[in-house]
Amino acid sequence: DTLQYLLQNGVDEILARHVAHQFVRDPLVIYRETLDQDNEASTDHYENLSSTNWNSMRLKLPPPQGDIGWRVEFRTMEVQLTDFENAAFSIFIVLISRIVLAFKLNLYVPLSLVDENMDRAHRRDAVLKEKFHFRRHITNHDACVSVLLEGLCCCSGTNHQYDAHDEYSLHEIMNGKKDAFPGLIPLVHNYLDLLECYGEPRIMLNQYLTLISHRASGQLQTPAHFMRK
């Protein structure tokens, strides 16, 4: 019912499905003092559902009053053991958001597969032993042949089912898989080259990206593996 209501009122289908999916569950927390709300002036009821439904990301609505726009909250981060590691992952998330916008990437994955990925990620040594559902093609055809992505394989030449998904190791998602997937870190490097980011800032960013790349490939231990040993 919620999905049909949104579609009939002109909401984009993907956004409508995202919102409608939240109404399959009841809110985890209800505060007595916020039961009675004017939904024309407050988003508290929706935010109550939205903030308790997502494992890894949250789409945050613009507040009714104020000039803040739409936001996407990344919720997968965990505190690392050092300031350098915390800085590396925080900056990596910012750079990922930039390449999504700059290269018009499509990272949509069905939520059922996101849930399955989360279950796999909780297993011991998942970084090295598990594979995760990820899009086979993260760009449309026009972007695949764009000069912005020159030299990076964005999709296989034999199969152009752009909504298809495959299972990749974290190493393949981050660092790439030959003739199949470019890897998020090479895309970040390509973006930084496009911005002509050189000198000391690039040296520091390269150190952050190397840390994440080596964690994904197994060359460096994860904090969990380090603490278990």
Side-chain angles (χ1 to χ4, degrees):
D1 291 344
T2 301
L3 176 61
Q4 291 304 315
Y5 176 81
L6 293 169
L7 292 175
Q8 289 169 6
N9 284 274
V11 177
D12 172 81
E13 182 178 356
I14 294 177
L15 179 59
R17 290 185 180 279
H18 174 89
V19 173
H21 184 274
Q22 299 181 53
F23 287 89
V24 303
R25 299 186 178 96
D26 291 327
L28 294 179
V29 179
I30 297 178
Y31 298 100
R32 186 186 304 275
E33 59 271 21
T34 60
L35 280 176
D36 297 319
Q37 294 281 328
D38 179 2
N39 290 325
E40 296 292 329
S42 170
T43 58
D44 282 358
H45 283 160
Y46 175 78
E47 290 294 346
N48 195 17
L49 279 170
S50 176
S51 63
T52 58
N53 262 298
W54 301 107
N55 285 324
S56 55
M57 298 185 73
R58 176 186 172 196
L59 182 64
K60 303 183 76 171
L61 298 176
Q65 290 81 31
D67 56 358
I68 300 175
W70 291 82
R71 292 153 292 160
V72 175
E73 178 182 301
F74 290 82
R75 313 180 88 182
T76 54
M77 293 296 297
E78 293 183 353
V79 175
Q80 304 294 302
L81 296 179
T82 67
D83 290 342
F84 179 85
E85 294 167 286
N86 285 324
F89 281 96
S90 297
I91 289 175
F92 181 65
I93 288 295
V94 173
L95 290 172
I96 289 294
S97 71
R98 296 298 186 268
I99 66 170
V100 168
L101 296 174
F103 298 150
K104 294 180 170 49
L105 301 185
N106 180 353
L107 301 181
Y108 286 131
V109 176
L111 196 60
S112 59
L113 299 184
V114 174
D115 290 339
E116 188 172 339
N117 282 345
M118 187 63 69
D119 289 339
R120 295 181 183 185
H122 282 89
R123 298 170 188 167
R124 178 173 290 194
D125 288 330
V127 170
L128 303 178
K129 297 179 179 178
E130 298 295 333
K131 291 200 171 185
F132 301 93
H133 299 284
F134 208 79
R135 287 185 68 90
R136 184 183 300 160
H137 311 300
I138 59 175
T139 60
N140 60 36
H141 179 69
D142 292 336
C144 280
V145 296
S146 168
V147 67
L148 293 175
L149 301 176
E150 184 176 1
L152 292 173
C153 172
C154 293
C155 57
S156 62
T158 58
N159 192 339
H160 285 278
Q161 296 176 345
Y162 290 108
D163 288 328
H165 306 89
D166 277 332
E167 294 184 57
Y168 298 96
S169 67
L170 196 60
H171 172 50
E172 292 168 337
I173 292 172
M174 290 295 183
N175 298 313
K177 182 178 181 181
K178 186 177 180 180
D179 298 327
F181 185 76
L184 297 179
I185 291 177
L187 285 172
V188 169
H189 280 298
N190 211 41
Y191 173 71
L192 294 174
D193 290 341
L194 186 67
L195 294 181
E196 298 182 349
C197 176
Y198 304 119
E200 290 187 10
R202 185 61 178 272
I203 291 173
M204 179 58 71
L205 291 174
N206 284 347
Q207 291 175 341
Y208 291 150
L209 294 172
T210 298
L211 169 71
I212 296 171
S213 174
H214 287 182
R215 284 269 179 86
S217 68
Q219 291 176 258
L220 289 176
Q221 299 180 78
T222 63
H225 189 89
F226 172 78
M227 289 187 287
R228 285 198 300 269
K229 294 295 182 181

mmCIF file with all atom_site columns, all heavy atoms in Angstrom, residues 137-155:
data_model
loop_
_atom_site.group_PDB
_atom_site.id
_atom_site.type_symbol
_atom_site.label_atom_id
_atom_site.label_alt_id
_atom_site.label_comp_id
_atom_site.label_asym_id
_atom_site.label_entity_id
_atom_site.label_seq_id
_atom_site.pdbx_PDB_ins_code
_atom_site.Cartn_x
_atom_site.Cartn_y
_atom_site.Cartn_z
_atom_site.occupancy
_atom_site.B_iso_or_equiv
_atom_site.pdbx_formal_charge
_atom_site.auth_seq_id
_atom_site.auth_comp_id
_atom_site.auth_asym_id
_atom_site.auth_atom_id
_atom_site.pdbx_PDB_model_num
ATOM 1   N N   . HIS A 1 137 ? 28.269 -4.139 -12.884 1.00 0.00 ? 137 HIS A N   1
ATOM 2   C CA  . HIS A 1 137 ? 28.500 -2.904 -13.625 1.00 0.00 ? 137 HIS A CA  1
ATOM 3   C C   . HIS A 1 137 ? 28.099 -1.734 -12.742 1.00 0.00 ? 137 HIS A C   1
ATOM 4   O O   . HIS A 1 137 ? 26.949 -1.643 -12.320 1.00 0.00 ? 137 HIS A O   1
ATOM 5   C CB  . HIS A 1 137 ? 27.678 -2.874 -14.914 1.00 0.00 ? 137 HIS A CB  1
ATOM 6   C CG  . HIS A 1 137 ? 27.810 -4.124 -15.729 1.00 0.00 ? 137 HIS A CG  1
ATOM 7   N ND1 . HIS A 1 137 ? 29.005 -4.572 -16.218 1.00 0.00 ? 137 HIS A ND1 1
ATOM 8   C CD2 . HIS A 1 137 ? 26.879 -5.031 -16.124 1.00 0.00 ? 137 HIS A CD2 1
ATOM 9   C CE1 . HIS A 1 137 ? 28.821 -5.701 -16.886 1.00 0.00 ? 137 HIS A CE1 1
ATOM 10  N NE2 . HIS A 1 137 ? 27.544 -6.001 -16.838 1.00 0.00 ? 137 HIS A NE2 1
ATOM 11  N N   . ILE A 1 138 ? 29.030 -0.841 -12.470 1.00 0.00 ? 138 ILE A N   1
ATOM 12  C CA  . ILE A 1 138 ? 28.738 0.284  -11.585 1.00 0.00 ? 138 ILE A CA  1
ATOM 13  C C   . ILE A 1 138 ? 28.568 1.583  -12.359 1.00 0.00 ? 138 ILE A C   1
ATOM 14  O O   . ILE A 1 138 ? 28.391 2.638  -11.758 1.00 0.00 ? 138 ILE A O   1
ATOM 15  C CB  . ILE A 1 138 ? 29.838 0.450  -10.523 1.00 0.00 ? 138 ILE A CB  1
ATOM 16  C CG1 . ILE A 1 138 ? 31.203 0.690  -11.180 1.00 0.00 ? 138 ILE A CG1 1
ATOM 17  C CG2 . ILE A 1 138 ? 29.871 -0.748 -9.598  1.00 0.00 ? 138 ILE A CG2 1
ATOM 18  C CD1 . ILE A 1 138 ? 32.308 0.983  -10.174 1.00 0.00 ? 138 ILE A CD1 1
ATOM 19  N N   . THR A 1 139 ? 28.623 1.498  -13.692 1.00 0.00 ? 139 THR A N   1
ATOM 20  C CA  . THR A 1 139 ? 28.376 2.677  -14.516 1.00 0.00 ? 139 THR A CA  1
ATOM 21  C C   . THR A 1 139 ? 27.420 2.295  -15.635 1.00 0.00 ? 139 THR A C   1
ATOM 22  O O   . THR A 1 139 ? 27.245 1.123  -15.952 1.00 0.00 ? 139 THR A O   1
ATOM 23  C CB  . THR A 1 139 ? 29.680 3.200  -15.156 1.00 0.00 ? 139 THR A CB  1
ATOM 24  O OG1 . THR A 1 139 ? 30.234 2.170  -15.985 1.00 0.00 ? 139 THR A OG1 1
ATOM 25  C CG2 . THR A 1 139 ? 30.692 3.593  -14.092 1.00 0.00 ? 139 THR A CG2 1
ATOM 26  N N   . ASN A 1 140 ? 26.809 3.298  -16.252 1.00 0.00 ? 140 ASN A N   1
ATOM 27  C CA  . ASN A 1 140 ? 26.016 3.023  -17.447 1.00 0.00 ? 140 ASN A CA  1
ATOM 28  C C   . ASN A 1 140 ? 26.955 2.929  -18.645 1.00 0.00 ? 140 ASN A C   1
ATOM 29  O O   . ASN A 1 140 ? 28.162 3.173  -18.539 1.00 0.00 ? 140 ASN A O   1
ATOM 30  C CB  . ASN A 1 140 ? 24.930 4.084  -17.653 1.00 0.00 ? 140 ASN A CB  1
ATOM 31  C CG  . ASN A 1 140 ? 25.508 5.484  -17.808 1.00 0.00 ? 140 ASN A CG  1
ATOM 32  O OD1 . ASN A 1 140 ? 26.566 5.670  -18.397 1.00 0.00 ? 140 ASN A OD1 1
ATOM 33  N ND2 . ASN A 1 140 ? 24.813 6.477  -17.265 1.00 0.00 ? 140 ASN A ND2 1
ATOM 34  N N   . HIS A 1 141 ? 26.416 2.602  -19.788 1.00 0.00 ? 141 HIS A N   1
ATOM 35  C CA  . HIS A 1 141 ? 27.258 2.364  -20.959 1.00 0.00 ? 141 HIS A CA  1
ATOM 36  C C   . HIS A 1 141 ? 28.032 3.614  -21.373 1.00 0.00 ? 141 HIS A C   1
ATOM 37  O O   . HIS A 1 141 ? 29.216 3.554  -21.704 1.00 0.00 ? 141 HIS A O   1
ATOM 38  C CB  . HIS A 1 141 ? 26.422 1.882  -22.145 1.00 0.00 ? 141 HIS A CB  1
ATOM 39  C CG  . HIS A 1 141 ? 27.237 1.654  -23.391 1.00 0.00 ? 141 HIS A CG  1
ATOM 40  N ND1 . HIS A 1 141 ? 28.143 0.621  -23.497 1.00 0.00 ? 141 HIS A ND1 1
ATOM 41  C CD2 . HIS A 1 141 ? 27.305 2.354  -24.554 1.00 0.00 ? 141 HIS A CD2 1
ATOM 42  C CE1 . HIS A 1 141 ? 28.725 0.673  -24.695 1.00 0.00 ? 141 HIS A CE1 1
ATOM 43  N NE2 . HIS A 1 141 ? 28.231 1.711  -25.350 1.00 0.00 ? 141 HIS A NE2 1
ATOM 44  N N   . ASP A 1 142 ? 27.370 4.785  -21.310 1.00 0.00 ? 142 ASP A N   1
ATOM 45  C CA  . ASP A 1 142 ? 28.045 6.013  -21.713 1.00 0.00 ? 142 ASP A CA  1
ATOM 46  C C   . ASP A 1 142 ? 29.248 6.299  -20.826 1.00 0.00 ? 142 ASP A C   1
ATOM 47  O O   . ASP A 1 142 ? 30.302 6.719  -21.297 1.00 0.00 ? 142 ASP A O   1
ATOM 48  C CB  . ASP A 1 142 ? 27.078 7.201  -21.650 1.00 0.00 ? 142 ASP A CB  1
ATOM 49  C CG  . ASP A 1 142 ? 26.001 7.090  -22.713 1.00 0.00 ? 142 ASP A CG  1
ATOM 50  O OD1 . ASP A 1 142 ? 26.238 6.409  -23.725 1.00 0.00 ? 142 ASP A OD1 1
ATOM 51  O OD2 . ASP A 1 142 ? 24.922 7.679  -22.521 1.00 0.00 ? 142 ASP A OD2 1
ATOM 52  N N   . ALA A 1 143 ? 29.094 6.045  -19.513 1.00 0.00 ? 143 ALA A N   1
ATOM 53  C CA  . ALA A 1 143 ? 30.197 6.295  -18.594 1.00 0.00 ? 143 ALA A CA  1
ATOM 54  C C   . ALA A 1 143 ? 31.316 5.290  -18.797 1.00 0.00 ? 143 ALA A C   1
ATOM 55  O O   . ALA A 1 143 ? 32.485 5.593  -18.578 1.00 0.00 ? 143 ALA A O   1
ATOM 56  C CB  . ALA A 1 143 ? 29.703 6.247  -17.152 1.00 0.00 ? 143 ALA A CB  1
ATOM 57  N N   . CYS A 1 144 ? 30.973 4.083  -19.236 1.00 0.00 ? 144 CYS A N   1
ATOM 58  C CA  . CYS A 1 144 ? 31.988 3.053  -19.429 1.00 0.00 ? 144 CYS A CA  1
ATOM 59  C C   . CYS A 1 144 ? 33.007 3.470  -20.482 1.00 0.00 ? 144 CYS A C   1
ATOM 60  O O   . CYS A 1 144 ? 34.164 3.058  -20.426 1.00 0.00 ? 144 CYS A O   1
ATOM 61  C CB  . CYS A 1 144 ? 31.343 1.734  -19.858 1.00 0.00 ? 144 CYS A CB  1
ATOM 62  S SG  . CYS A 1 144 ? 30.646 0.796  -18.495 1.00 0.00 ? 144 CYS A SG  1
ATOM 63  N N   . VAL A 1 145 ? 32.581 4.243  -21.453 1.00 0.00 ? 145 VAL A N   1
ATOM 64  C CA  . VAL A 1 145 ? 33.494 4.651  -22.514 1.00 0.00 ? 145 VAL A CA  1
ATOM 65  C C   . VAL A 1 145 ? 33.947 6.097  -22.328 1.00 0.00 ? 145 VAL A C   1
ATOM 66  O O   . VAL A 1 145 ? 34.553 6.678  -23.210 1.00 0.00 ? 145 VAL A O   1
ATOM 67  C CB  . VAL A 1 145 ? 32.827 4.484  -23.896 1.00 0.00 ? 145 VAL A CB  1
ATOM 68  C CG1 . VAL A 1 145 ? 32.522 3.023  -24.161 1.00 0.00 ? 145 VAL A CG1 1
ATOM 69  C CG2 . VAL A 1 145 ? 31.550 5.320  -24.002 1.00 0.00 ? 145 VAL A CG2 1
ATOM 70  N N   . SER A 1 146 ? 33.665 6.663  -21.170 1.00 0.00 ? 146 SER A N   1
ATOM 71  C CA  . SER A 1 146 ? 34.030 8.045  -20.901 1.00 0.00 ? 146 SER A CA  1
ATOM 72  C C   . SER A 1 146 ? 35.528 8.167  -20.676 1.00 0.00 ? 146 SER A C   1
ATOM 73  O O   . SER A 1 146 ? 36.174 7.291  -20.116 1.00 0.00 ? 146 SER A O   1
ATOM 74  C CB  . SER A 1 146 ? 33.283 8.559  -19.658 1.00 0.00 ? 146 SER A CB  1
ATOM 75  O OG  . SER A 1 146 ? 33.814 9.786  -19.227 1.00 0.00 ? 146 SER A OG  1
ATOM 76  N N   . VAL A 1 147 ? 36.065 9.305  -21.063 1.00 0.00 ? 147 VAL A N   1
ATOM 77  C CA  . VAL A 1 147 ? 37.489 9.557  -20.839 1.00 0.00 ? 147 VAL A CA  1
ATOM 78  C C   . VAL A 1 147 ? 37.803 9.633  -19.353 1.00 0.00 ? 147 VAL A C   1
ATOM 79  O O   . VAL A 1 147 ? 38.934 9.392  -18.924 1.00 0.00 ? 147 VAL A O   1
ATOM 80  C CB  . VAL A 1 147 ? 37.912 10.869 -21.552 1.00 0.00 ? 147 VAL A CB  1
ATOM 81  C CG1 . VAL A 1 147 ? 37.260 12.077 -20.901 1.00 0.00 ? 147 VAL A CG1 1
ATOM 82  C CG2 . VAL A 1 147 ? 39.434 11.028 -21.552 1.00 0.00 ? 147 VAL A CG2 1
ATOM 83  N N   . LEU A 1 148 ? 36.807 9.945  -18.531 1.00 0.00 ? 148 LEU A N   1
ATOM 84  C CA  . LEU A 1 148 ? 37.035 10.010 -17.089 1.00 0.00 ? 148 LEU A CA  1
ATOM 85  C C   . LEU A 1 148 ? 37.479 8.663  -16.534 1.00 0.00 ? 148 LEU A C   1
ATOM 86  O O   . LEU A 1 148 ? 38.200 8.593  -15.549 1.00 0.00 ? 148 LEU A O   1
ATOM 87  C CB  . LEU A 1 148 ? 35.752 10.450 -16.356 1.00 0.00 ? 148 LEU A CB  1
ATOM 88  C CG  . LEU A 1 148 ? 35.279 11.878 -16.599 1.00 0.00 ? 148 LEU A CG  1
ATOM 89  C CD1 . LEU A 1 148 ? 33.950 12.093 -15.890 1.00 0.00 ? 148 LEU A CD1 1
ATOM 90  C CD2 . LEU A 1 148 ? 36.312 12.867 -16.097 1.00 0.00 ? 148 LEU A CD2 1
ATOM 91  N N   . LEU A 1 149 ? 37.029 7.569  -17.172 1.00 0.00 ? 149 LEU A N   1
ATOM 92  C CA  . LEU A 1 149 ? 37.336 6.239  -16.675 1.00 0.00 ? 149 LEU A CA  1
ATOM 93  C C   . LEU A 1 149 ? 38.289 5.511  -17.605 1.00 0.00 ? 149 LEU A C   1
ATOM 94  O O   . LEU A 1 149 ? 38.373 4.286  -17.581 1.00 0.00 ? 149 LEU A O   1
ATOM 95  C CB  . LEU A 1 149 ? 36.037 5.429  -16.505 1.00 0.00 ? 149 LEU A CB  1
ATOM 96  C CG  . LEU A 1 149 ? 35.014 6.057  -15.554 1.00 0.00 ? 149 LEU A CG  1
ATOM 97  C CD1 . LEU A 1 149 ? 33.737 5.240  -15.532 1.00 0.00 ? 149 LEU A CD1 1
ATOM 98  C CD2 . LEU A 1 149 ? 35.571 6.174  -14.152 1.00 0.00 ? 149 LEU A CD2 1
ATOM 99  N N   . GLU A 1 150 ? 39.002 6.255  -18.419 1.00 0.00 ? 150 GLU A N   1
ATOM 100 C CA  . GLU A 1 150 ? 39.909 5.645  -19.383 1.00 0.00 ? 150 GLU A CA  1
ATOM 101 C C   . GLU A 1 150 ? 40.937 4.782  -18.666 1.00 0.00 ? 150 GLU A C   1
ATOM 102 O O   . GLU A 1 150 ? 41.547 5.184  -17.677 1.00 0.00 ? 150 GLU A O   1
ATOM 103 C CB  . GLU A 1 150 ? 40.624 6.729  -20.183 1.00 0.00 ? 150 GLU A CB  1
ATOM 104 C CG  . GLU A 1 150 ? 41.509 6.181  -21.284 1.00 0.00 ? 150 GLU A CG  1
ATOM 105 C CD  . GLU A 1 150 ? 42.141 7.286  -22.118 1.00 0.00 ? 150 GLU A CD  1
ATOM 106 O OE1 . GLU A 1 150 ? 41.881 8.473  -21.811 1.00 0.00 ? 150 GLU A OE1 1
ATOM 107 O OE2 . GLU A 1 150 ? 42.880 6.968  -23.045 1.00 0.00 ? 150 GLU A OE2 1
ATOM 108 N N   . GLY A 1 151 ? 41.111 3.567  -19.164 1.00 0.00 ? 151 GLY A N   1
ATOM 109 C CA  . GLY A 1 151 ? 42.097 2.658  -18.593 1.00 0.00 ? 151 GLY A CA  1
ATOM 110 C C   . GLY A 1 151 ? 41.578 1.817  -17.450 1.00 0.00 ? 151 GLY A C   1
ATOM 111 O O   . GLY A 1 151 ? 42.296 0.978  -16.920 1.00 0.00 ? 151 GLY A O   1
ATOM 112 N N   . LEU A 1 152 ? 40.325 2.042  -17.051 1.00 0.00 ? 152 LEU A N   1
ATOM 113 C CA  . LEU A 1 152 ? 39.744 1.260  -15.967 1.00 0.00 ? 152 LEU A CA  1
ATOM 114 C C   . LEU A 1 152 ? 38.616 0.410  -16.522 1.00 0.00 ? 152 LEU A C   1
ATOM 115 O O   . LEU A 1 152 ? 37.705 0.919  -17.165 1.00 0.00 ? 152 LEU A O   1
ATOM 116 C CB  . LEU A 1 152 ? 39.200 2.169  -14.861 1.00 0.00 ? 152 LEU A CB  1
ATOM 117 C CG  . LEU A 1 152 ? 40.257 2.947  -14.068 1.00 0.00 ? 152 LEU A CG  1
ATOM 118 C CD1 . LEU A 1 152 ? 39.576 3.918  -13.129 1.00 0.00 ? 152 LEU A CD1 1
ATOM 119 C CD2 . LEU A 1 152 ? 41.165 2.009  -13.297 1.00 0.00 ? 152 LEU A CD2 1
ATOM 120 N N   . CYS A 1 153 ? 38.657 -0.869 -16.258 1.00 0.00 ? 153 CYS A N   1
ATOM 121 C CA  . CYS A 1 153 ? 37.595 -1.765 -16.717 1.00 0.00 ? 153 CYS A CA  1
ATOM 122 C C   . CYS A 1 153 ? 36.389 -1.585 -15.820 1.00 0.00 ? 153 CYS A C   1
ATOM 123 O O   . CYS A 1 153 ? 36.468 -1.787 -14.617 1.00 0.00 ? 153 CYS A O   1
ATOM 124 C CB  . CYS A 1 153 ? 38.086 -3.217 -16.670 1.00 0.00 ? 153 CYS A CB  1
ATOM 125 S SG  . CYS A 1 153 ? 36.782 -4.411 -16.989 1.00 0.00 ? 153 CYS A SG  1
ATOM 126 N N   . CYS A 1 154 ? 35.268 -1.194 -16.390 1.00 0.00 ? 154 CYS A N   1
ATOM 127 C CA  . CYS A 1 154 ? 34.054 -0.974 -15.597 1.00 0.00 ? 154 CYS A CA  1
ATOM 128 C C   . CYS A 1 154 ? 33.011 -2.053 -15.823 1.00 0.00 ? 154 CYS A C   1
ATOM 129 O O   . CYS A 1 154 ? 32.047 -2.158 -15.089 1.00 0.00 ? 154 CYS A O   1
ATOM 130 C CB  . CYS A 1 154 ? 33.449 0.382  -15.918 1.00 0.00 ? 154 CYS A CB  1
ATOM 131 S SG  . CYS A 1 154 ? 34.506 1.730  -15.376 1.00 0.00 ? 154 CYS A SG  1
ATOM 132 N N   . CYS A 1 155 ? 33.167 -2.813 -16.861 1.00 0.00 ? 155 CYS A N   1
ATOM 133 C CA  . CYS A 1 155 ? 32.247 -3.920 -17.085 1.00 0.00 ? 155 CYS A CA  1
ATOM 134 C C   . CYS A 1 155 ? 32.853 -4.827 -18.138 1.00 0.00 ? 155 CYS A C   1
ATOM 135 O O   . CYS A 1 155 ? 33.679 -4.400 -18.936 1.00 0.00 ? 155 CYS A O   1
ATOM 136 C CB  . CYS A 1 155 ? 30.873 -3.429 -17.535 1.00 0.00 ? 155 CYS A CB  1
ATOM 137 S SG  . CYS A 1 155 ? 30.911 -2.422 -19.033 1.00 0.00 ? 155 CYS A SG  1
#
